[in-house]
Amino acid sequence: MCVMRSFQLSLLRVSERHQRCWRRKHSAERPRTGESEPDHLLMDSSGNMWNTHEGAFFSALSADVGLQEMFGEHQISLRSRSEHVAEGTEEAGRETLLNRVYTELYITEGLRPEGHTQHEVMQLETTTKTNQLHDTAIKNPDIFKVLPDQHRSIRVVLTSGVAGAGKSFSVQKFTLDWAEGLENQDISAVVPLSFREMNLIRDEQHSLLTLIQLFHPTLQKIPAEQLSVCKLLFIFDGLDESRFSLDFNNSPVVSDVTHKSSVNVLLTNLIQGRLLPSALVWITSRPAAANQIPPSCVDRLTEVRGFNDAQKEEYFRRRFPDGELSSKIISHTKGSMSLYIMCEVPVFCWITAVVLENLLTTEQRGELPTTLTDMYSHFLMVQTKRKKNKYQQEHQTSPQELTETDREVLLKLGRLAFEHLEKGNIMFYQEDLQQCGLDVTEASVYSGVCTEIFRRECGIFQKPVYSFVHLSVQEFLAAVYMFHCYSNRKVEVIEDFLKNNMENPSLDKFLSRVMEKSLQSQNGHLDLLVRFLHGLSVESNQRLLGGLLGKTEKNPETIQRAINNLKEIDSEGVSPDRSINIYHCLMEMKDLSVHQEIKEFLKSEKKSWKYLSEIHCSALAYTLQMSEEVLDELDLNQYKTSDEGKRRLIPAVRNCRKFSSWTCSCITAPEHTFLSDFRLQNCSLSEISCEALVSALKKNPSNLIELDLNDNKNLPDSGVLHLCGFLESLDCRLQTLRSVKKLNSLKDEKKGSGEELAKVSLEDFLSTAMFETN
């Protein structure tokens, strides 16, 4: 308000000066006839120039003051909406000030390359070692600022991040800083429009003007002609939550802010710059949905990475002032790699804190959770216990037991989670709940008290929008529901999911079919679900969840068959990173045999003597990739295993300095962190192989200084040309390129020489290659 008042006073003083000037101009000081009369211009505090002739200034000034007053009211409204946040809950009275708890998140320019091919949990694992080493960090207020090496303005920003990483927090903090007058004051108005709220009007017709006015009543009186004059920022939060499609190829053109159309058509035109091209646009999304926006429409790609290792510890120490308790929790999470990696997601840190605090500070003693299934099983019980303590008489049942009502509601929530997981929906509406047999009152109880499982938000229309507190909670409840359907022989649900006849299958066959379906998924969206399903086959989790799973199978022979199936899975055609999930499923079943065998293998001095199965190779790749020590060299030729086994070792490339292979399977190598020496000897590289190799090298080439393609005698000239794209990259630091056949088909004097170079400078190679492509 102080800023607004200061602006109004400055304009008032300017107005008074101009009235005096105008009176003088129309009296004795008016120029004589025949003299030219200069334009009288005045700059206001916003930098706008006004003509003072014939009172034109006064009407423009009045309009400008009215506009600024409206924007001032809008700032006050946004501040009120943005200044509070709730951690894991929307329960009234438990919110806190955003500025009090906000921790600066790590935002980088560029996206993880696995965003469309891996489950988000696996993305955390594959980028733990690469985090913060080669990325360009961007502070939240600078999301639209041009970097020193960039030469064009930033109009559209697309920010990606796994569920719970902090995308919405970043948007909220940006909005609050603007509303409080602290940052980005060159922007006239920030206009947040979340997809979860726009879903409610997806079937309605609106113009851009009425869309703004609908979601932001403080801008109700903004004139249409002023939209193109003001600098507006539209923030579209949660593209992955959208219930309507964006068609950038066939969308009709809309350029008039008063023209009515469907919401998706308005958004595509706004993003493409056809509608209100002066506006800034910021879109946030989970990785799998980010590719809906064409790269040609985006000026900057950024990613929110969540907590680093230091911030994980800081979180637990802040939450638990008791140093002994926080140290125990930190120590336990570090002892389980899967738990510690998940703590990169702030919401999972909170889930871990809730569970471990309950287990370490109450009389309920027992084994602490070591797997994800353990953690979420305890989490479900802790939150249900909280609801029970408030709404039910404790003497009726033990606090650790589920009542029949609890089971019914949790299974309905599980059905909701399961049915919408396949559809990719993480936001739900009243009709979605009703289709799953959930009464709105039941959901209100779970969202008002047990919000940590299920959350209810009221948007701008005061219509409830429901969600699970995190995608992983939805996936866990979906797995619980699916396991319940299997145990209770609800064959139609299982068959509809697997698209297969599943008449009374044994548990090992059921788990095998689900694993097969998950491996067929292009983006790995079922990978965590299948981990949870294997974890739910463990007796300790079945005992903890009571009757929620139904009558479960406890035959040790069946469990052993399921374990053997995992060890023998043929994952040919599946990426090496995705194959690691098979090893994770073994760990969820608490079968540590492969884990122990790899530990012994790494201690052995005769590694080349021991044959490694394919599951051993996945376990070894994961272990080496996550190791704190950087491996000096990964030579696939030194491992006694099959070609598929060598391919499964590829993820370890991320954590080694030198890499060698006699097989071209490694051209699918992931982005690397420390790799400086890359050797592909006698691999019979084809043109397609070279193209794939270049794609792999471009992911992170900055450390690579030597590339050895020795003994690839049939390397085609067209294949060598693909290498030029990599060599010409600005990030390329290659110093030595060994044994590459020079192109000479266009040089008569070298025709047929087949010259091999032991070492060739980049300048010589490029000049020859580029000459011969002309």
Side-chain angles (χ1 to χ4, degrees):
M1 288 299 295
C2 293
V3 174
M4 188 67 234
R5 183 61 181 160
S6 174
F7 175 86
Q8 291 172 337
L9 288 174
S10 65
L11 278 181
L12 183 60
R13 287 191 292 269
V14 170
S15 174
E16 291 173 347
R17 288 198 304 271
H18 272 265
Q19 289 184 53
R20 290 194 298 270
C21 174
W22 189 84
R23 282 193 296 267
R24 286 195 304 270
K25 187 176 70 172
H26 286 78
S27 58
E29 297 182 20
R30 186 173 181 83
R32 292 187 299 272
T33 302
E35 291 185 2
S36 61
E37 182 174 339
D39 288 337
H40 292 268
L41 299 176
L42 179 73
M43 181 181 291
D44 64 20
S45 60
S46 296
N48 299 313
M49 298 299 294
W50 301 105
N51 192 319
T52 63
H53 280 318
E54 304 300 333
F57 168 76
F58 301 115
S59 58
L61 181 63
S62 175
D64 191 63
V65 170
L67 200 61
Q68 291 297 333
E69 287 179 345
M70 182 173 57
F71 287 152
E73 292 175 3
H74 181 62
Q75 281 185 304
I76 295 170
S77 173
L78 284 189
R79 178 176 179 175
S80 175
R81 289 167 55 178
S82 305
E83 61 185 354
H84 288 95
V85 352
E87 183 186 41
T89 177
E90 293 293 328
E91 186 177 347
R94 295 180 63 181
E95 293 187 335
T96 187
L97 291 173
L98 173 62
N99 285 332
R100 184 178 299 170
V101 299
Y102 182 79
T103 300
E104 192 69 37
L105 295 164
Y106 194 73
I107 303 175
T108 65
E109 185 155 28
L111 304 181
R112 310 181 202 220
E114 297 90 352
H116 312 311
T117 60
Q118 280 187 286
H119 189 284
E120 293 177 3
V121 171
M122 286 61 182
Q123 290 178 45
L124 298 178
E125 294 170 350
T126 57
T127 55
T128 294
K129 297 295 295 187
T130 61
N131 231 4
Q132 306 184 21
L133 290 176
H134 301 293
D135 302 314
T136 302
I138 299 177
K139 291 185 177 181
N140 197 48
D142 300 336
I143 204 79
F144 283 93
K145 302 284 176 64
V146 179
L147 297 176
D149 60 341
Q150 295 176 329
H151 305 291
R152 67 170 184 171
S153 60
I154 308 295
R155 191 184 74 85
V156 178
V157 174
L158 173 60
T159 296
S160 177
V162 302
K167 301 181 296 296
S168 294
F169 263 49
S170 296
V171 164
Q172 188 173 343
K173 176 62 173 170
F174 185 101
T175 303
L176 180 60
D177 285 348
W178 175 82
E180 291 183 333
L182 302 177
E183 300 283 356
N184 293 288
Q185 295 305 288
D186 58 313
I187 295 175
S188 304
V190 174
V191 185
L193 297 168
S194 72
F195 280 95
R196 70 181 63 171
E197 291 181 338
M198 288 192 292
N199 287 337
L200 298 171
I201 59 165
R202 62 183 181 273
D203 298 324
E204 299 178 11
Q205 296 280 309
H206 284 278
S207 68
L208 182 60
L209 181 63
T210 61
L211 188 68
I212 294 172
Q213 294 169 340
L214 178 66
F215 286 95
H216 296 280
T218 50
L219 300 178
Q220 193 70 236
K221 297 180 180 179
I222 188 169
E225 60 273 11
Q226 287 293 335
L227 289 183
S228 59
V229 176
C230 302
K231 185 176 182 180
L232 301 182
L233 165 59
F234 292 91
I235 302 180
F236 300 115
D237 189 26
L239 174 62
D240 49 285
E241 299 169 358
S242 172
R243 292 286 184 95
F244 47 84
S245 60
L246 300 177
D247 186 351
F248 287 87
N249 295 321
N250 303 307
S251 178
V253 176
V254 175
S255 57
D256 185 349
V257 297
T258 62
H259 179 80
K260 287 192 175 183
S261 185
S262 60
V263 176
N264 59 325
V265 169
L266 292 178
L267 295 192
T268 54
N269 279 275
L270 188 61
I271 293 169
Q272 288 177 314
R274 296 170 174 171
L275 180 62
L276 205 62
S278 61
L280 303 177
V281 177
W282 187 5
I283 308 159
T284 71
S285 175
R286 285 169 47 214
N291 62 354
Q292 293 184 44
I293 310 298
S296 59
C297 295
V298 180
D299 300 305
R300 170 171 284 165
L301 289 168
T302 64
E303 182 172 12
V304 177
R305 292 284 178 95
F307 285 163
N308 58 30
D309 288 351
Q311 289 168 329
K312 295 173 190 177
E313 293 195 25
E314 179 186 356
Y315 173 86
F316 290 119
R317 296 197 187 281
R318 279 187 175 184
R319 184 177 179 90
F320 302 111
D322 181 344
E324 183 180 356
L325 178 59
S326 61
S327 294
K328 284 182 180 179
I329 292 175
I330 292 169
S331 176
H332 181 73
T333 55
K334 284 185 173 181
S336 172
M337 185 58 68
S338 59
L339 299 183
Y340 193 61
I341 290 171
M342 278 291 287
C343 282
E344 184 178 321
V345 178
V347 171
F348 187 78
C349 282
W350 168 74
I351 290 174
T352 302
V354 167
V355 170
L356 295 184
E357 179 186 24
N358 180 73
L359 293 176
L360 291 170
T361 60
T362 65
E363 296 180 358
Q364 181 185 347
R365 299 295 178 182
E367 185 180 351
L368 294 179
T370 58
T371 68
L372 291 182
T373 313
D374 289 349
M375 184 67 76
Y376 283 84
S377 296
H378 278 284
F379 177 72
L380 187 63
M381 297 306 294
V382 169
Q383 302 313 329
T384 305
K385 174 185 171 184
R386 287 186 177 180
K387 179 193 74 68
K388 183 184 299 184
N389 288 343
K390 183 165 184 176
Y391 280 88
Q392 299 176 8
Q393 296 179 359
E394 289 193 50
H395 69 268
Q396 293 178 347
T397 59
S398 165
Q400 281 73 47
E401 293 180 4
L402 291 172
T403 65
E404 185 60 32
T405 301
D406 289 330
R407 283 193 288 270
E408 288 180 4
V409 175
L410 287 174
L411 287 173
K412 289 175 183 178
L413 288 174
R415 178 186 169 188
L416 179 74
F418 174 74
E419 292 183 356
H420 286 270
L421 185 63
E422 271 284 78
K423 300 176 183 177
N425 295 336
I426 61 175
M427 304 301 300
F428 318 106
Y429 302 90
Q430 184 171 330
E431 57 269 26
D432 298 320
L433 271 63
Q434 292 171 344
Q435 288 174 6
C436 293
L438 266 170
D439 183 83
V440 176
T441 305
E442 291 176 328
S444 297
V445 171
Y446 270 77
S447 67
V449 180
C450 193
T451 341
E452 291 81 357
I453 296 174
F454 200 60
R455 178 172 57 191
R456 180 181 65 174
E457 299 174 355
C458 288
I460 193 71
F461 305 106
Q462 295 302 303
K463 294 181 180 179
V465 181
Y466 300 86
S467 73
F468 296 94
V469 72
H470 188 250
L471 173 62
S472 57
V473 175
Q474 179 178 347
E475 290 170 302
F476 176 72
L477 278 172
V480 167
Y481 174 74
M482 194 172 182
F483 206 100
H484 169 84
C485 289
Y486 165 76
S487 299
N488 290 273
R489 298 295 184 257
K490 296 184 178 180
V491 180
E492 65 281 359
V493 175
I494 304 300
E495 289 184 343
D496 185 60
F497 175 69
L498 296 176
K499 311 299 183 195
N500 209 324
N501 185 3
M502 292 292 290
E503 192 69 35
N504 296 323
S506 60
L507 178 61
D508 58 299
K509 288 184 179 179
F510 165 66
L511 293 175
S512 181
R513 295 282 180 86
V514 177
M515 172 61 79
E516 183 181 337
K517 181 178 176 68
S518 77
L519 291 176
Q520 292 171 350
S521 168
Q522 295 298 312
N523 59 10
H525 74 291
L526 299 175
D527 285 358
L528 192 55
L529 173 76
V530 79
R531 277 171 74 169
F532 283 138
L533 282 170
H534 281 83
L536 290 172
S537 69
V538 176
E539 186 177 355
S540 60
N541 287 321
Q542 294 176 359
R543 188 168 56 250
L544 179 64
L545 294 174
L548 192 58
L549 300 178
K551 187 178 180 181
T552 55
E553 191 169 346
K554 296 182 173 64
N555 187 340
E557 294 180 359
T558 303
I559 299 300
Q560 190 57 50
R561 285 200 304 269
I563 290 172
N564 293 339
N565 287 342
L566 289 174
K567 294 179 179 180
E568 297 167 5
I569 285 179
D570 179 7
S571 63
E572 186 176 356
V574 179
S575 75
D577 282 314
R578 295 280 308 284
S579 296
I580 289 177
N581 199 49
I582 302 171
Y583 170 62
H584 286 319
C585 289
L586 272 180
M587 298 297 285
E588 292 294 330
M589 294 189 74
K590 301 195 176 179
D591 180 85
L592 303 180
S593 58
V594 173
H595 174 70
Q596 293 296 339
E597 288 163 5
I598 289 302
K599 286 179 67 175
E600 294 171 6
F601 172 81
L602 290 172
K603 294 177 183 177
S604 172
E605 295 181 357
K606 300 179 180 180
K607 294 183 178 63
S608 60
W609 291 16
K610 180 175 176 57
Y611 183 81
L612 296 176
S613 68
E614 292 171 4
I615 189 64
H616 282 118
C617 290
S618 288
L620 178 59
Y622 179 73
T623 303
L624 293 175
Q625 174 184 307
M626 305 313 300
S627 172
E628 292 183 3
E629 296 182 9
V630 179
L631 188 65
D632 185 56
E633 181 175 6
L634 178 64
D635 186 351
L636 295 190
N637 311 309
Q638 293 181 359
Y639 294 95
K640 190 176 181 180
T641 186
S642 64
D643 284 346
E644 175 60 22
K646 290 180 179 180
R647 197 177 71 87
R648 286 204 191 185
L649 286 169
I650 296 305
V653 173
R654 293 187 178 92
N655 199 29
C656 71
R657 294 187 179 89
K658 297 180 181 180
F659 178 75
S660 300
S661 175
W662 290 350
T663 171
C664 65
S665 63
C666 65
I667 61 176
T668 60
E671 84 291 345
H672 47 78
T673 306
F674 306 103
L675 193 65
S676 61
D677 192 331
F678 198 50
R679 302 175 185 273
L680 289 176
Q681 299 174 335
N682 196 22
C683 292
S684 302
L685 293 176
S686 64
E687 178 181 358
I688 295 176
S689 299
C690 288
E691 187 175 6
L693 170 63
V694 168
S695 176
L697 292 175
K698 279 184 174 181
K699 289 179 180 177
N700 198 344
S702 57
N703 281 335
L704 191 66
I705 60 174
E706 182 168 339
L707 178 62
D708 189 345
L709 302 179
N710 186 44
D711 291 332
N712 283 281
K713 295 185 179 180
N714 295 319
L715 187 65
D717 291 349
S718 55
V720 175
L721 283 175
H722 282 297
L723 293 171
C724 294
F726 164 66
L727 297 169
E728 292 178 296
S729 169
L730 294 176
D731 293 327
C732 179
R733 301 291 183 268
L734 200 65
Q735 298 175 10
T736 303
L737 181 66
R738 295 190 181 277
S739 300
V740 173
K741 180 181 177 182
K742 291 181 84 174
L743 300 179
N744 49 43
S745 59
L746 298 181
K747 293 244 196 177
D748 292 338
E749 64 274 20
K750 289 188 176 183
K751 186 174 293 184
S753 68
E755 180 180 356
E756 291 285 338
L757 300 180
K759 186 173 183 179
V760 61
S761 69
L762 290 184
E763 292 78 8
D764 290 343
F765 175 78
L766 281 177
S767 62
T768 304
M770 294 310 294
F771 172 82
E772 292 169 345
T773 59
N774 291 333

